[in-house]
Amino acid sequence: MQAVYPTPTGVAFLARPGRPAVVARTLAELAGPTRGVVELPVRLMWSAERTFDLGDPDQLLWMYENVLRETTRAEDLRALINGRTLRRVWRLLNLPRGVRQAWESRHRGLRAA
């Protein structure tokens, strides 16, 4: 499966210089956990503190921000992000402009979320 889904115009938005933002094909495929404690792999979070309690709203936001910003794999999105939760917290996330634009371009419903 291709991990980067460009916009309808063919433009890929960048998560950071030289790295395209990775966007899920559909929000429904995002079946990540909604509760409990999640430990991110080192490739997504380089800090020694890589565990997040999803019951803590601040930790949930911090985890989602890191995954959406750092991933280079669609599999990470499907395993770690929950589509319904993402829609609920979308406006609260502090994301690079390219990541936000990429997701909102692909999933127009997030603009109004």
Side-chain angles (χ1 to χ4, degrees):
M1 170 183 251
Q2 182 182 1
V4 179
Y5 304 110
T7 66
T9 62
V11 175
F13 294 104
L14 300 179
R16 66 177 67 198
R19 181 186 291 174
V22 179
V23 179
R25 197 174 301 263
T26 68
L27 295 181
E29 75 185 88
L30 302 176
T34 58
R35 62 186 131 175
V37 175
V38 174
E39 182 173 355
L40 293 183
V42 173
R43 71 178 178 278
L44 297 178
M45 184 77 174
W46 303 293
S47 168
E49 295 296 320
R50 296 190 323 266
T51 58
F52 299 86
D53 179 353
L54 300 182
D56 180 323
D58 291 332
Q59 288 188 34
L60 177 119
L61 293 175
W62 182 231
M63 186 192 96
Y64 272 43
E65 290 164 357
N66 278 283
V67 172
L68 294 171
R69 182 181 60 244
E70 300 300 332
T71 193
T72 59
R73 306 173 181 185
E75 299 82 36
D76 289 335
L77 297 173
R78 288 190 294 272
L80 297 167
I81 302 293
N82 179 276
R84 191 175 272 172
T85 301
L86 179 64
R87 187 182 311 262
R88 179 175 53 83
V89 301
W90 182 250
R91 286 285 155 220
L92 302 173
L93 295 172
N94 182 14
L95 297 169
R97 180 180 300 160
V99 173
R100 188 169 295 281
Q101 289 174 328
W103 278 84
E104 289 180 354
S105 175
R106 178 84 187 173
H107 306 288
R108 300 201 186 274
L110 290 176
R111 291 181 190 171

